[in-house]
Amino acid sequence: MTTATADLALDLKDVDKSYAAGWFKRGVHALRGIDMHVGRGEVFGLLGPNGAGKSTLIKILMTVISPTRAQGTMLGRPIGEKTTLARVGYLPEHHRFPDYLTGRQVVEFYGAMSGVSRRDRKQRAAQLLDFVGMAKWADTKVRGYSKGMRQRVGIAQALVNDPELVLLDEPTDGVDPVGRRDIRQMCQTLKDRGKTVFLNSHLLSELEMICDRVAILVQGRVASQGTIDSLTTHRQRYEIEVASDDSNVDTALRGALSSWLRPDANGALDGQLPTGESIDVRLDQPHAPAMVKVATADAAKVQPLLDSIRAARLTLRAVRPIRPSLEDLFMEAVTDPETGKTLAPGAKEGA
Amino acid sequence: MILTQTNAMLVDAYRELNSKKMFWIALALSALVVLAIACVGINDKGLTILWWTVSLDIINTSFLSPAAFYKTIFIQFGFNFWLAWVATILALISTASIIPDLVAGGSIELSLSKPIARVRLFLTKYATALLFTGLQVAVFTVASFLVIGLRGNSWEWSIFLAIPLVLLFFSFIYCVCALLGLVTRSTIAALLLTVLFWFFLFLVNTSERAVLLFKLNADDRIESAERDIGNIPELITRSKDRIAVFSSVREGESDAERTRREANKATEEAKLAGLELRMGTRQQNLTEYKATRETLTKWHNILFAVKTVFPKTAETMGLLERRLTSLNEFAAFEDAQEDRIEERRERRARNQNGVAVETNEPSPRVARRLEEVLRQRSVLWVLGTSILFELLVLTICCSIFARRDF
């Protein structure tokens, strides 16, 4: 094992899953060679539209689904090895706990199933139920719990074996804002304790707040992965807002930027800097200032444009650097570059 | 770790059954049944129910010992009716949901994501269902043992054989329920289809038993016809001899003597004609019986082959009766019963001339022969082939459970 591999909680190579066609269903190629790396001690976010294969990937890691093909390791052991699961915690997306058990019994039962000794699981159950804010309801039957309370107990059971890696599939699903904040804080606490947290969630803003690294899965492939900074740096841009009080702002702005803009074939105003970064001019929005968007994070490259706009005696209302959000990244990943339309949800059919 | 996990699953199964209350309902009903058995007794006059006596001709201590009476009550009512039917249905209702609940979405992910092999997970769940059924049977058997001991003054240790036998009987049916629960993921579907399967076993068993009874009846008739056919020639010879004697005119024979001789001759000739007719009829009967036996043998072989493949639930339960009672033990009681049946049968079978004719009703002799044949079936055949069926079903279950993507 290389040192790099030892530092990784998850090192996935070429994970592939095809569901064979049946009598009444068509075959589905859910995962198409996933390569993914999750470092130890980081909070990793897995994003993707419905049917992208996120839950399938997690289920493969947890041996709930067998892969068609998979290489790589989880906590240094080959994928699919049952004994590794003693060091992993898991909260499934639509989990269903036996409703005849109390919260405490749920945590203790799944602790026992993970091989935790009686004394340890009793002690940990009490600590974890307190950690997830369920100490008061620990001895109430699960059938009386709200969705949020079930999620909290679910997180407690995922941590009962003191795992090195925790996989949480939609942990904030159905949870109110207070609960979501609590769950974010729990993830942060787990990270502080040196645990690796692997999150699958639709709530991009939350992932953005807590994830060190993310991967975007689209139609069974990793569209992009890395730290949020690394993914957004080359997508950063400057937005220049020009006052549009004067009715001649259109002509004046075209004239000021003429050396950078392409011939106006279809009424669109776009062009590029000598270094290749794109320029996009929006003049057609009523009651809104004219907007010049320059696809660069380098302030120096924007200066010639500003000089030209000023020289044309136009008023600059604002110049601001824009860093794309995770949502922008996500939408970019799920948009078909050819048609510009959002890709249909679901995995691709056929092999 | 294995012990911790197994123990956790056992405790969980107990909590699940406890939450359904069915475990305690079944246990309470079992207690009521034992109490009912304890209330019934036997004395020299007939049956006793608490402090009342019901006078009966056959069921009294002259024909049946108290021990044999209680064993019969236990076997026929407690074992063959209560444990084999009612308690089994209650146990099926209680445990049918164990496998569908295990594979239900949201639950199976949690179980499979633990460090436990799939086959062990499935088999442990399966075993917990059997264990709690075994517990029910054990409680009932211990109570019955005490009743037979205290009321019948017979401490019958063999009665504890009921525990493994009922458990095996239940497991033969439950393995199918588990397979159906795994495939359909529905408790109701699994339960209904299992009851259907059980009904199929009942039909096969009843048909096989009925065909065997008719076959043995045909054997009995063939034996009787062959005996007749063997005896009739001798009777014909004797009759012919007597006709010859009656035909010869003796010297000095008076008119009265001649008239009597000729009358005797005529009677004997009529008897001879009857014998010759009977010979023909019996030969025809024999041919018919042999053809019937051939058809019945063919059908019995088919049913027996089907029965060999499937679990032998009735025979499994019958093993306890075989072990606990011998046919001789009930000889006095059965003889008395047989005499009455035979008498009634003959009365019905006689024609107006008082000559015995054949009826289609099997004789008690055939019924006893059937019992002997059933008792002669080896334990290896009864249990061995049934266990093989269960192992096959469990192998299919494990194979599905180990390979399926949930």
Side-chain angles (χ1 to χ4, degrees), chain B residues 135-150:
Chain B
L135 200 65
Q136 291 270 1
V137 181
V139 170
F140 181 81
T141 308
V142 169
S144 300
F145 173 76
L146 293 174
V147 168
I148 296 173
L150 295 169

mmCIF file with all atom_site columns, all heavy atoms in Angstrom, chain B residues 135-150:
data_model
loop_
_atom_site.group_PDB
_atom_site.id
_atom_site.type_symbol
_atom_site.label_atom_id
_atom_site.label_alt_id
_atom_site.label_comp_id
_atom_site.label_asym_id
_atom_site.label_entity_id
_atom_site.label_seq_id
_atom_site.pdbx_PDB_ins_code
_atom_site.Cartn_x
_atom_site.Cartn_y
_atom_site.Cartn_z
_atom_site.occupancy
_atom_site.B_iso_or_equiv
_atom_site.pdbx_formal_charge
_atom_site.auth_seq_id
_atom_site.auth_comp_id
_atom_site.auth_asym_id
_atom_site.auth_atom_id
_atom_site.pdbx_PDB_model_num
ATOM 1   N N   . LEU B 1 135 ? -40.179 -22.631 21.596 1.00 0.00 ? 135 LEU B N   1
ATOM 2   C CA  . LEU B 1 135 ? -40.444 -22.234 22.981 1.00 0.00 ? 135 LEU B CA  1
ATOM 3   C C   . LEU B 1 135 ? -41.924 -22.461 23.329 1.00 0.00 ? 135 LEU B C   1
ATOM 4   O O   . LEU B 1 135 ? -42.249 -22.978 24.404 1.00 0.00 ? 135 LEU B O   1
ATOM 5   C CB  . LEU B 1 135 ? -40.088 -20.755 23.145 1.00 0.00 ? 135 LEU B CB  1
ATOM 6   C CG  . LEU B 1 135 ? -39.836 -20.264 24.564 1.00 0.00 ? 135 LEU B CG  1
ATOM 7   C CD1 . LEU B 1 135 ? -38.618 -20.932 25.149 1.00 0.00 ? 135 LEU B CD1 1
ATOM 8   C CD2 . LEU B 1 135 ? -39.653 -18.747 24.558 1.00 0.00 ? 135 LEU B CD2 1
ATOM 9   N N   . GLN B 1 136 ? -42.777 -22.105 22.393 1.00 0.00 ? 136 GLN B N   1
ATOM 10  C CA  . GLN B 1 136 ? -44.225 -22.308 22.582 1.00 0.00 ? 136 GLN B CA  1
ATOM 11  C C   . GLN B 1 136 ? -44.529 -23.800 22.763 1.00 0.00 ? 136 GLN B C   1
ATOM 12  O O   . GLN B 1 136 ? -45.248 -24.190 23.678 1.00 0.00 ? 136 GLN B O   1
ATOM 13  C CB  . GLN B 1 136 ? -44.990 -21.817 21.337 1.00 0.00 ? 136 GLN B CB  1
ATOM 14  C CG  . GLN B 1 136 ? -44.963 -20.342 21.141 1.00 0.00 ? 136 GLN B CG  1
ATOM 15  C CD  . GLN B 1 136 ? -46.137 -19.666 21.830 1.00 0.00 ? 136 GLN B CD  1
ATOM 16  O OE1 . GLN B 1 136 ? -46.941 -20.322 22.462 1.00 0.00 ? 136 GLN B OE1 1
ATOM 17  N NE2 . GLN B 1 136 ? -46.195 -18.365 21.754 1.00 0.00 ? 136 GLN B NE2 1
ATOM 18  N N   . VAL B 1 137 ? -43.954 -24.607 21.875 1.00 0.00 ? 137 VAL B N   1
ATOM 19  C CA  . VAL B 1 137 ? -44.200 -26.056 21.913 1.00 0.00 ? 137 VAL B CA  1
ATOM 20  C C   . VAL B 1 137 ? -43.653 -26.640 23.214 1.00 0.00 ? 137 VAL B C   1
ATOM 21  O O   . VAL B 1 137 ? -44.289 -27.497 23.842 1.00 0.00 ? 137 VAL B O   1
ATOM 22  C CB  . VAL B 1 137 ? -43.546 -26.751 20.689 1.00 0.00 ? 137 VAL B CB  1
ATOM 23  C CG1 . VAL B 1 137 ? -43.814 -28.247 20.714 1.00 0.00 ? 137 VAL B CG1 1
ATOM 24  C CG2 . VAL B 1 137 ? -44.071 -26.158 19.407 1.00 0.00 ? 137 VAL B CG2 1
ATOM 25  N N   . ALA B 1 138 ? -42.484 -26.152 23.623 1.00 0.00 ? 138 ALA B N   1
ATOM 26  C CA  . ALA B 1 138 ? -41.846 -26.676 24.837 1.00 0.00 ? 138 ALA B CA  1
ATOM 27  C C   . ALA B 1 138 ? -42.736 -26.425 26.057 1.00 0.00 ? 138 ALA B C   1
ATOM 28  O O   . ALA B 1 138 ? -42.944 -27.326 26.881 1.00 0.00 ? 138 ALA B O   1
ATOM 29  C CB  . ALA B 1 138 ? -40.483 -26.022 25.023 1.00 0.00 ? 138 ALA B CB  1
ATOM 30  N N   . VAL B 1 139 ? -43.272 -25.223 26.148 1.00 0.00 ? 139 VAL B N   1
ATOM 31  C CA  . VAL B 1 139 ? -44.136 -24.880 27.291 1.00 0.00 ? 139 VAL B CA  1
ATOM 32  C C   . VAL B 1 139 ? -45.371 -25.783 27.288 1.00 0.00 ? 139 VAL B C   1
ATOM 33  O O   . VAL B 1 139 ? -45.754 -26.351 28.314 1.00 0.00 ? 139 VAL B O   1
ATOM 34  C CB  . VAL B 1 139 ? -44.539 -23.383 27.232 1.00 0.00 ? 139 VAL B CB  1
ATOM 35  C CG1 . VAL B 1 139 ? -45.607 -23.072 28.259 1.00 0.00 ? 139 VAL B CG1 1
ATOM 36  C CG2 . VAL B 1 139 ? -43.325 -22.502 27.450 1.00 0.00 ? 139 VAL B CG2 1
ATOM 37  N N   . PHE B 1 140 ? -45.970 -25.964 26.121 1.00 0.00 ? 140 PHE B N   1
ATOM 38  C CA  . PHE B 1 140 ? -47.169 -26.805 26.004 1.00 0.00 ? 140 PHE B CA  1
ATOM 39  C C   . PHE B 1 140 ? -46.843 -28.253 26.363 1.00 0.00 ? 140 PHE B C   1
ATOM 40  O O   . PHE B 1 140 ? -47.612 -28.924 27.072 1.00 0.00 ? 140 PHE B O   1
ATOM 41  C CB  . PHE B 1 140 ? -47.701 -26.724 24.563 1.00 0.00 ? 140 PHE B CB  1
ATOM 42  C CG  . PHE B 1 140 ? -48.942 -27.539 24.340 1.00 0.00 ? 140 PHE B CG  1
ATOM 43  C CD1 . PHE B 1 140 ? -50.185 -27.051 24.706 1.00 0.00 ? 140 PHE B CD1 1
ATOM 44  C CD2 . PHE B 1 140 ? -48.872 -28.801 23.769 1.00 0.00 ? 140 PHE B CD2 1
ATOM 45  C CE1 . PHE B 1 140 ? -51.338 -27.795 24.507 1.00 0.00 ? 140 PHE B CE1 1
ATOM 46  C CE2 . PHE B 1 140 ? -50.014 -29.550 23.566 1.00 0.00 ? 140 PHE B CE2 1
ATOM 47  C CZ  . PHE B 1 140 ? -51.249 -29.047 23.936 1.00 0.00 ? 140 PHE B CZ  1
ATOM 48  N N   . THR B 1 141 ? -45.697 -28.735 25.893 1.00 0.00 ? 141 THR B N   1
ATOM 49  C CA  . THR B 1 141 ? -45.322 -30.133 26.129 1.00 0.00 ? 141 THR B CA  1
ATOM 50  C C   . THR B 1 141 ? -45.043 -30.387 27.605 1.00 0.00 ? 141 THR B C   1
ATOM 51  O O   . THR B 1 141 ? -45.468 -31.418 28.156 1.00 0.00 ? 141 THR B O   1
ATOM 52  C CB  . THR B 1 141 ? -44.088 -30.497 25.266 1.00 0.00 ? 141 THR B CB  1
ATOM 53  O OG1 . THR B 1 141 ? -44.362 -30.129 23.929 1.00 0.00 ? 141 THR B OG1 1
ATOM 54  C CG2 . THR B 1 141 ? -43.782 -31.978 25.327 1.00 0.00 ? 141 THR B CG2 1
ATOM 55  N N   . VAL B 1 142 ? -44.348 -29.471 28.249 1.00 0.00 ? 142 VAL B N   1
ATOM 56  C CA  . VAL B 1 142 ? -44.053 -29.635 29.680 1.00 0.00 ? 142 VAL B CA  1
ATOM 57  C C   . VAL B 1 142 ? -45.372 -29.695 30.467 1.00 0.00 ? 142 VAL B C   1
ATOM 58  O O   . VAL B 1 142 ? -45.566 -30.568 31.336 1.00 0.00 ? 142 VAL B O   1
ATOM 59  C CB  . VAL B 1 142 ? -43.150 -28.483 30.197 1.00 0.00 ? 142 VAL B CB  1
ATOM 60  C CG1 . VAL B 1 142 ? -43.062 -28.488 31.709 1.00 0.00 ? 142 VAL B CG1 1
ATOM 61  C CG2 . VAL B 1 142 ? -41.757 -28.602 29.596 1.00 0.00 ? 142 VAL B CG2 1
ATOM 62  N N   . ALA B 1 143 ? -46.306 -28.810 30.121 1.00 0.00 ? 143 ALA B N   1
ATOM 63  C CA  . ALA B 1 143 ? -47.602 -28.794 30.814 1.00 0.00 ? 143 ALA B CA  1
ATOM 64  C C   . ALA B 1 143 ? -48.351 -30.098 30.561 1.00 0.00 ? 143 ALA B C   1
ATOM 65  O O   . ALA B 1 143 ? -48.933 -30.686 31.495 1.00 0.00 ? 143 ALA B O   1
ATOM 66  C CB  . ALA B 1 143 ? -48.414 -27.601 30.340 1.00 0.00 ? 143 ALA B CB  1
ATOM 67  N N   . SER B 1 144 ? -48.314 -30.585 29.333 1.00 0.00 ? 144 SER B N   1
ATOM 68  C CA  . SER B 1 144 ? -49.001 -31.845 29.007 1.00 0.00 ? 144 SER B CA  1
ATOM 69  C C   . SER B 1 144 ? -48.363 -33.021 29.732 1.00 0.00 ? 144 SER B C   1
ATOM 70  O O   . SER B 1 144 ? -49.050 -33.933 30.207 1.00 0.00 ? 144 SER B O   1
ATOM 71  C CB  . SER B 1 144 ? -48.954 -32.098 27.502 1.00 0.00 ? 144 SER B CB  1
ATOM 72  O OG  . SER B 1 144 ? -49.581 -31.053 26.832 1.00 0.00 ? 144 SER B OG  1
ATOM 73  N N   . PHE B 1 145 ? -47.028 -32.996 29.823 1.00 0.00 ? 145 PHE B N   1
ATOM 74  C CA  . PHE B 1 145 ? -46.284 -34.056 30.530 1.00 0.00 ? 145 PHE B CA  1
ATOM 75  C C   . PHE B 1 145 ? -46.764 -34.133 31.984 1.00 0.00 ? 145 PHE B C   1
ATOM 76  O O   . PHE B 1 145 ? -47.012 -35.227 32.519 1.00 0.00 ? 145 PHE B O   1
ATOM 77  C CB  . PHE B 1 145 ? -44.789 -33.728 30.456 1.00 0.00 ? 145 PHE B CB  1
ATOM 78  C CG  . PHE B 1 145 ? -43.918 -34.625 31.284 1.00 0.00 ? 145 PHE B CG  1
ATOM 79  C CD1 . PHE B 1 145 ? -43.618 -35.912 30.867 1.00 0.00 ? 145 PHE B CD1 1
ATOM 80  C CD2 . PHE B 1 145 ? -43.392 -34.177 32.500 1.00 0.00 ? 145 PHE B CD2 1
ATOM 81  C CE1 . PHE B 1 145 ? -42.807 -36.739 31.638 1.00 0.00 ? 145 PHE B CE1 1
ATOM 82  C CE2 . PHE B 1 145 ? -42.579 -34.996 33.270 1.00 0.00 ? 145 PHE B CE2 1
ATOM 83  C CZ  . PHE B 1 145 ? -42.287 -36.281 32.834 1.00 0.00 ? 145 PHE B CZ  1
ATOM 84  N N   . LEU B 1 146 ? -46.934 -32.982 32.590 1.00 0.00 ? 146 LEU B N   1
ATOM 85  C CA  . LEU B 1 146 ? -47.377 -32.934 33.985 1.00 0.00 ? 146 LEU B CA  1
ATOM 86  C C   . LEU B 1 146 ? -48.822 -33.442 34.111 1.00 0.00 ? 146 LEU B C   1
ATOM 87  O O   . LEU B 1 146 ? -49.142 -34.185 35.046 1.00 0.00 ? 146 LEU B O   1
ATOM 88  C CB  . LEU B 1 146 ? -47.262 -31.507 34.535 1.00 0.00 ? 146 LEU B CB  1
ATOM 89  C CG  . LEU B 1 146 ? -45.833 -30.982 34.675 1.00 0.00 ? 146 LEU B CG  1
ATOM 90  C CD1 . LEU B 1 146 ? -45.828 -29.516 35.077 1.00 0.00 ? 146 LEU B CD1 1
ATOM 91  C CD2 . LEU B 1 146 ? -45.044 -31.808 35.694 1.00 0.00 ? 146 LEU B CD2 1
ATOM 92  N N   . VAL B 1 147 ? -49.662 -33.082 33.159 1.00 0.00 ? 147 VAL B N   1
ATOM 93  C CA  . VAL B 1 147 ? -51.066 -33.524 33.210 1.00 0.00 ? 147 VAL B CA  1
ATOM 94  C C   . VAL B 1 147 ? -51.153 -35.037 33.066 1.00 0.00 ? 147 VAL B C   1
ATOM 95  O O   . VAL B 1 147 ? -51.841 -35.717 33.840 1.00 0.00 ? 147 VAL B O   1
ATOM 96  C CB  . VAL B 1 147 ? -51.899 -32.812 32.101 1.00 0.00 ? 147 VAL B CB  1
ATOM 97  C CG1 . VAL B 1 147 ? -53.263 -33.473 31.940 1.00 0.00 ? 147 VAL B CG1 1
ATOM 98  C CG2 . VAL B 1 147 ? -52.083 -31.350 32.440 1.00 0.00 ? 147 VAL B CG2 1
ATOM 99  N N   . ILE B 1 148 ? -50.433 -35.590 32.088 1.00 0.00 ? 148 ILE B N   1
ATOM 100 C CA  . ILE B 1 148 ? -50.458 -37.047 31.880 1.00 0.00 ? 148 ILE B CA  1
ATOM 101 C C   . ILE B 1 148 ? -49.892 -37.761 33.107 1.00 0.00 ? 148 ILE B C   1
ATOM 102 O O   . ILE B 1 148 ? -50.413 -38.785 33.556 1.00 0.00 ? 148 ILE B O   1
ATOM 103 C CB  . ILE B 1 148 ? -49.673 -37.437 30.600 1.00 0.00 ? 148 ILE B CB  1
ATOM 104 C CG1 . ILE B 1 148 ? -50.372 -36.842 29.378 1.00 0.00 ? 148 ILE B CG1 1
ATOM 105 C CG2 . ILE B 1 148 ? -49.557 -38.951 30.454 1.00 0.00 ? 148 ILE B CG2 1
ATOM 106 C CD1 . ILE B 1 148 ? -49.616 -37.011 28.074 1.00 0.00 ? 148 ILE B CD1 1
ATOM 107 N N   . GLY B 1 149 ? -48.829 -37.177 33.671 1.00 0.00 ? 149 GLY B N   1
ATOM 108 C CA  . GLY B 1 149 ? -48.195 -37.788 34.850 1.00 0.00 ? 149 GLY B CA  1
ATOM 109 C C   . GLY B 1 149 ? -49.114 -37.751 36.063 1.00 0.00 ? 149 GLY B C   1
ATOM 110 O O   . GLY B 1 149 ? -49.304 -38.768 36.738 1.00 0.00 ? 149 GLY B O   1
ATOM 111 N N   . LEU B 1 150 ? -49.708 -36.599 36.332 1.00 0.00 ? 150 LEU B N   1
ATOM 112 C CA  . LEU B 1 150 ? -50.518 -36.435 37.539 1.00 0.00 ? 150 LEU B CA  1
ATOM 113 C C   . LEU B 1 150 ? -51.898 -37.089 37.404 1.00 0.00 ? 150 LEU B C   1
ATOM 114 O O   . LEU B 1 150 ? -52.375 -37.743 38.320 1.00 0.00 ? 150 LEU B O   1
ATOM 115 C CB  . LEU B 1 150 ? -50.674 -34.944 37.875 1.00 0.00 ? 150 LEU B CB  1
ATOM 116 C CG  . LEU B 1 150 ? -49.367 -34.224 38.254 1.00 0.00 ? 150 LEU B CG  1
ATOM 117 C CD1 . LEU B 1 150 ? -49.577 -32.722 38.313 1.00 0.00 ? 150 LEU B CD1 1
ATOM 118 C CD2 . LEU B 1 150 ? -48.826 -34.742 39.584 1.00 0.00 ? 150 LEU B CD2 1
#
